Amino acid sequence: QTVPAVVDVSEMMGSALHLHLQACGKEMVAVVPLMERDNTADYETGKELHFGFSGALAHVFDPESGMNLEQL
């Protein structure tokens, strides 16, 4: 299953692209490692995309304290 999102900002950061997204009514940042042949036009501002991820790779923070919930 995938999550729909819209790209707000796309930032090239060396060998990765940082995508600032609107997904499910929330703002989030996704870090996309790039290969030499990847087309960054696929991630332009306003572009709708769908993504999936492993829960083991997610960083989750408490909205009130900002603390990383994995460290509690």
Side-chain angles (χ1 to χ4, degrees), residues 46-66:
K47 180 96 175 190
E48 183 174 330
L49 52 88
H50 292 79
F51 67 91
F53 60 91
S54 166
L57 299 175
H59 296 276
V60 183
F61 298 88
D62 181 276
E64 292 180 18
S65 69

Side-chain angles (χ1 to χ4, degrees), residues 1-65:
Q1 184 152 20
T2 62
V3 178
V6 175
V7 178
D8 282 339
V9 176
S10 174
E11 296 178 293
M12 180 61 73
M13 304 294 276
S15 63
L17 194 63
H18 290 204
L19 298 176
H20 298 257
L21 306 168
Q22 290 289 326
C24 302
K26 303 289 183 184
E27 294 180 15
M28 62 170 290
V29 177
V31 179
V32 180
L34 295 176
M35 303 302 270
E36 189 173 312
R37 296 183 192 142
D38 285 342
N39 184 358
T40 57
D42 292 339
Y43 306 105
E44 292 176 344
T45 300
K47 180 96 175 190
E48 183 174 330
L49 52 88
H50 292 79
F51 67 91
F53 60 91
S54 166
L57 299 175
H59 296 276
V60 183
F61 298 88
D62 181 276
E64 292 180 18
S65 69

